[in-house]
Amino acid sequence: GVSSAASDVYKRQARRNTDLRPLFGAALTIRLRLVAVSMPVMIGLAMIYWATGSISTLTLATVTILAIGLLPTAIGQAFASIYGAWERMDRRAIVSAGTSALTVGLGLLLLGLGAGVLGLAIAGVMSGIASLFTLGRPIGFHLLRASQHTRTPTRPLLLAGLPLMLNGLLATIFIQADVLILQPLHGTVVVGHYNAAFKFINALNSIPAALVLAAFPLMARAAHDPDDLARWVTRVWRILASLAAPAVVLIFAHAESVVGTLLGNQFLPFTANALAILIWFLPMSYLNGTLQYVVIARDRQWWLTPAFLITTAFNIGTNMALVPTFGFQAAAATTIASEVVLLTMLVWLLRGESWLPRIVEPAARPFAASVILAVVTWLLRDLSWLLAATIGLTTYATVLIATGGISRSAFDVVK
């Protein structure tokens, strides 16, 4: 929220060719204050779980490392907001995708070396540091010191960023609340398997984060032109639907093989079972990620807060009701159901938009092609999963291109 508000103010200031240092300093100050509050809260909650025997000393150390990692992430995001002001969303998108890939790749490597959850925490912190260096070095780290000599009030940024910050917090809560419920009821081992499955989901979720971020300035400019806005929304959603549909089929079919190959047999069958359920939330998550940026482009970000509140309440209530009996399966299913609730709320918020029905068409051909992919995957079930997936993806892409479901022009989201 602070980053988005800062980007908006930076953009206006940049157009007036004025000094950005005071605004950078204000955004950084807010972020550092939030980190100063968040770090002891994270560590304090972990210590409570540790004191009650719900988590081990190793898990406590992991949380502590993650809390420390908030600092480089906060500074990196302050630099990222400058790229937003310059409308260099392509660089932000590339760094975001690269950071996610580094987190997942390094995390899998450390898991393979036996580092466990501590390795995942270290991977996250190292990725945050890499992101800070990648974003800050081209601008210059001297800005950190220079911005502190020119002060600007933080209140305007706080007011502008509050709804976005609340929405981001609520979105994080409804995605992660199930872990807090699983931990005391089913233990660290179950949570570890569940989080391992989520690593794959997080990697796939870096795609819409990068793409929609790159397209957001274009959607913002088209916000008051329904036809132009519809063109950009459907273009982005067409790409995301074309990626989500085969991912669901292949990961659902090969979840056990994928997990066994990348993480090891010690993560079977629990991680694979969780992944096979969680993957079904991907198409709705991609669509929700697109539509919520449309709401922001229309300057209606406060409308999102009730939607996220309702979704979060549904998620927590459903998890508390079902997780004690059904465990991580209920948590995974609730994640899917929560995306359905959020999608329903977003469609309701945008119900007056004339272009809204047009979001159905971009997904029709990819989903139809994924049915053929499912048939091919079933027929090739006795082959190795890598070979079967390669043949299946080739078939899917051929069908999609032949039916006009995707074209080269659809990927032109930055011109």
Side-chain angles (χ1 to χ4, degrees):
V2 174
S3 180
S4 299
S7 293
D8 183 60
V9 179
Y10 286 169
K11 188 182 297 182
R12 294 195 297 269
Q13 292 290 87
R15 288 171 179 166
R16 292 197 293 265
N17 197 31
T18 55
D19 190 0
L20 296 180
R21 288 177 298 176
L23 294 168
F24 177 84
L28 182 61
T29 298
I30 295 172
R31 286 186 170 279
L32 293 179
R33 288 174 180 174
L34 290 173
V35 169
V37 172
S38 301
M39 287 177 64
V41 170
M42 284 182 62
I43 296 173
L45 286 174
M47 291 185 69
I48 292 174
Y49 277 109
W50 173 76
T52 57
S54 297
I55 63 174
S56 64
T57 303
L58 178 61
T59 304
L60 176 61
T62 301
V63 173
T64 302
I65 291 174
L66 290 173
I68 294 172
L70 291 175
L71 182 59
T73 299
I75 300 174
Q77 287 302 308
F79 279 108
S81 62
I82 295 180
Y83 290 98
W86 291 341
E87 295 189 359
R88 288 298 311 273
M89 299 299 185
D90 54 338
R91 185 174 184 86
R92 289 186 62 177
I94 291 170
V95 172
S96 175
T99 300
S100 297
L102 178 61
T103 302
V104 174
L106 186 58
L108 292 176
L109 175 63
L110 292 173
L111 281 173
L113 294 174
V117 293
L118 191 62
L120 295 178
I122 294 172
V125 174
M126 292 182 67
S127 297
I129 294 172
S131 177
L132 167 60
F133 182 80
T134 305
L135 291 168
R137 189 169 183 270
I139 297 173
F141 289 107
H142 66 276
L143 187 60
L144 292 171
R145 184 173 57 183
S147 63
Q148 299 306 308
H149 297 297
T150 51
R151 300 289 182 177
T152 194
T154 58
R155 183 180 177 84
L157 286 180
L158 282 171
L159 292 177
L162 182 60
L164 300 175
M165 190 159 40
L166 286 174
N167 297 338
L169 176 62
L170 290 171
T172 301
I173 290 174
F174 93 71
I175 288 294
Q176 297 295 325
D178 46 11
V179 172
L180 296 177
I181 298 172
L182 276 170
Q183 179 66 55
L185 293 174
H186 295 277
T188 301
V189 173
V190 170
V191 170
H193 283 291
Y194 189 71
N195 278 335
F198 243 108
K199 292 299 178 184
F200 294 92
I201 301 300
N202 290 339
L204 291 169
N205 261 339
S206 68
I207 298 172
L211 181 62
V212 178
L213 191 60
F216 176 66
L218 302 168
M219 291 192 291
R221 292 193 191 102
H224 300 292
D225 184 338
D227 291 334
D228 200 21
L229 181 60
R231 181 168 65 92
W232 287 113
V233 173
T234 54
R235 179 174 290 186
V236 171
W237 171 226
R238 189 183 305 277
I239 297 172
L240 293 178
S242 299
L243 297 173
V248 170
V249 173
L250 292 176
I251 291 182
F252 178 76
H254 300 297
E256 186 167 334
S257 298
V258 170
V259 171
T261 301
L262 297 178
L263 299 184
N265 291 333
Q266 66 269 29
F267 285 87
L268 297 175
F270 300 109
T271 298
N273 291 340
L275 179 60
I277 301 172
L278 284 170
I279 193 62
W280 289 95
F281 106 121
L282 199 68
M284 288 171 290
S285 176
Y286 280 16
L287 181 55
N288 287 340
T290 303
L291 294 181
Q292 71 182 28
Y293 268 93
V294 175
V295 176
I296 295 171
R298 296 296 303 271
D299 291 325
R300 299 172 180 173
Q301 49 266 32
W302 274 113
W303 291 20
L304 290 173
T305 305
F308 279 112
L309 276 172
I310 293 171
T311 305
T312 302
F314 169 83
N315 182 279
I316 294 174
T318 306
N319 272 310
M320 292 183 68
L322 299 180
V323 165
T325 302
F326 300 103
F328 72 86
Q329 294 93 335
T334 300
T335 299
I336 301 171
S338 297
E339 290 291 340
V340 174
V341 172
L342 180 58
L343 177 58
T344 303
M345 298 300 300
L346 290 173
V347 170
W348 185 81
L349 290 176
L350 295 168
R351 65 193 181 282
E353 303 288 339
S354 60
W355 53 265
L356 188 60
R358 292 169 62 177
I359 65 173
V360 176
E361 184 275 330
R365 290 183 181 89
F367 290 167
S370 69
V371 174
I372 297 176
L373 171 60
V375 174
V376 172
T377 300
W378 183 79
L379 292 174
L380 302 178
R381 61 190 181 279
D382 293 329
L383 296 180
S384 71
W385 75 272
L386 282 173
L387 179 58
T390 301
I391 297 173
L393 280 175
T394 303
T395 304
Y396 171 83
T398 302
V399 172
L400 195 61
I401 294 172
T403 58
I406 200 72
S407 63
R408 183 176 180 180
S409 61
F411 289 89
D412 182 17
V413 298
V414 294
K415 294 183 179 179

